[in-house]
Amino acid sequence: MTFQDQIQQGIPNELPQPKPYNPAINHAPKRKEILTDEEKKLALKNALRYFEPKFHAELLPEFKEELEKFGRIYMYRFRPDYEMKARDIAEYPGKSEQAKAIMLMIQNNLDYAVAQHPHELITYGGNGAVFSNWAQYLLTMKYLSELSDEQTLVMYSGHPMGLFPSHKDAPRVVVTNGMMIPNYSKPDDWEKFNALGVTQYGQMTAGSYMYIGPQGIVHGTTITVLNAFRKINKEPKGGLFVTSGLGGMSGAQPKAGNIAGCVTVIAEVNPKITKIRHDQKWVNEIHENLDDLVVRVREAQKNQEAVSLAYLGNVVDIWEKFDAENLRIDIGSDQTSLHNPWAGGYYPVGQTFEESNKMMAENPELFKEKVQETLRRHASAINKHTAKGTYFFDYGNAFLLEASRAGADVMAENPTLGREFKYPSYVQDIMGPMCFDYGFGPFRWVCASGNPEDLQKTDEIACEILEEIIKNSPEEIQQQMKDNIQWIKGAQENNLVVGSQARILYADAEGRMKIAEAFNKAIKNGEIGPVVLGRDHHDVSGTDSPYRETSNIYDGSRFTADMAIHNVIGDSFRGATWVSIHNGGGVGWGEVINGGFGMLLDGSDDADRRLKSMLFWDVNNGISRRSWARNEGAIFAIKRAMEVEPNLKVTLPNLVDDKLL
Ligand SMILES: NC(=O)c1ccc[n+]([C@@H]2O[C@H](COP(=O)([O-])OP(=O)(O)OC[C@H]3O[C@@H](n4cnc5c(N)ncnc54)[C@H](O)[C@@H]3O)[C@@H](O)[C@H]2O)c1
């Protein structure tokens, strides 16, 4: 059967042969056992409803075994045999170009070079799922191959509910992931309802088909490091940045430090991960001896090298050693996985990696104590450095939250709502006021032809547009514009494409709209093939997350999620090709609501109309909310937007003199 035939077939008429478990592939960890015996029966019944009754007797024991062995039913047997990767859009079967673009993006999210646990349909973050099982994948692809531009595919947390009549301006797909009745949104609720097969954790760009590999995180981290140095009025050259983690997202830090031009010292306890990042050339050197490391850091600073030095060991050792040696750290942060402190996200100091892993499984109570003890030491060493002038920020990894729970000295002297801790988060100090409040966020595009030349042309077009816009940009956003021009100029050289031909570029509403418009024209003129637009959910308007994206909202509304919900509803009737709204993502189930979109540009007048209407809303929704929260940059940005678009009329806040209160 051809690739097209297999897509159109959906769930095969004859059962495929069972697939042997391939240990060479990176698999999802066994999930904890949470279902009662009765609930296990329900999970099996739920899984079998995808198949004709004649297959149930054969599939039942297999699914039962998967549930027992892995804690989930993935239906491994149904994983297709064709190569999983984004193909040229022309290779997908179907009636709708928009639907074909979505198939391409789904396959990209499951590409072995892109996905973390491809056989379990997990793209990143350990649990960020595109689908919960292979039957859902097969059915969804079949539906997409049948869908017309007068229909919409409805996705309930990975499950394709079906095709419903709509109209050509409606989204072709509407995705929800993990939407729960709020009271049922605790971490164990995810374990249970995911095991039952009725919901899934979509992360941000996994369950919305918009992940583009590590490029996105490198760009965002580079912007953060550059702006952290600006915050302390220091050139990155010769400056020292100390942090930890060479994992999924944290591994972007040394690469970003190199692009920014500073000396980066990064601790990682896991030797395998350290080696991978070194082989990949994302970190330049590995050190195991602290004395040698100190000598090397001093030398690198003196020579103003842009270099990243991994320390294979615990991050607390570095903070303490550098204090003892009076080595001045300019910028400090931490990216251990403290959103998951008891199951391998954070390793205690003073014991080996293997000892910790053993203790975690055999004596979890003692492990917890060791973690908390380490957090107290960690915070205390950081405090010594900040007293000497180090600028420290929390990297959205729940470091301050967990340290505070462990009784570490991290609380502010006079806490106020949103400023509970001694130190700010990266969004409070950097991304929020410098980027999100002005509308700058992780806009991205994918060249649907799969042709690298198209990507090069789109880079050139985007660069020309930004260089034109900067001529009339106000002083307030000059720096952001310059950073983005520098990024896009170096993008080809940084060679960050993994999977589809994709590019990320922080841009504001004007930039996003003008770049998209220019792409659409280039498609119309036959200069490039179709382009898919999208963005990370970690953006101006897409995400309500009180300790991350909306942590610089100080009017008390950071615990609300109206913005994210409005965003996705607004995008859906302004021309998005697909929209998505998720519970969870980054900081955990129940802790965040995030939404996003995808949009196909095909060179048509319809695409031109849609992109203008939707992108304007997609950015200005969040700016208006940030402005209402009295954020200075956002008040400036929304007033500017109202000048450009007379149909935009936003309620502005009146500022109250604090003395009156
Ligand atoms: N990069 C970003 O822009 C960004 C944004 C928001 C949040 N985060 C957060 O950053 C955290 C890290 O994400 P990730 O995907 O890299 O996770 P990950 O689990 O893949 O990587 C974390 C790494 O830290 C290492 N580690 C743990 N304890 C350590 C210790 N005491 N000393 C040295 N190394 C230690 C682990 O071995 C692991 O490799 C998450 O909590 C994530 O939510 C990152």
Side-chain angles (χ1 to χ4, degrees), residues 217 221 244-251 267-270 273 313-315 335-339 344-347 353 395-397 426 538 548 586:
I217 196 69
T221 312
S244 66
L246 286 173
M249 286 201 272
S250 49
E268 169 57 64
V269 286
N270 185 334
I273 289 179
N314 203 289
V315 67
Q335 262 198 60
T336 53
S337 276
L338 273 161
H339 67 273
Y346 184 82
Y347 281 79
F353 183 60
Y395 217 136
N397 63 337
Y426 75 119
H538 178 274
R548 236 170 72 172

Side-chain angles (χ1 to χ4, degrees), residues 190-265:
W190 170 74
E191 294 280 357
K192 177 170 160 175
F193 295 108
N194 187 226
L196 282 176
V198 293
T199 190
Q200 71 176 10
Y201 196 82
Q203 273 285 1
M204 293 193 147
T205 48
S208 60
Y209 329 137
M210 197 40 82
Y211 189 70
I212 54 163
Q215 180 179 175
I217 196 69
V218 172
H219 185 35
T221 312
T222 305
I223 285 183
T224 307
V225 176
L226 277 174
N227 285 321
F229 275 102
R230 284 183 192 130
K231 183 104 202 140
I232 58 166
N233 289 320
K234 193 173 167 61
E235 275 296 310
K237 260 191 195 166
L240 177 58
F241 170 42
V242 168
T243 183
S244 66
L246 286 173
M249 286 201 272
S250 49
Q253 294 175 106
K255 177 117 189 152
N258 283 4
I259 298 175
C262 61
V263 178
T264 305
V265 172

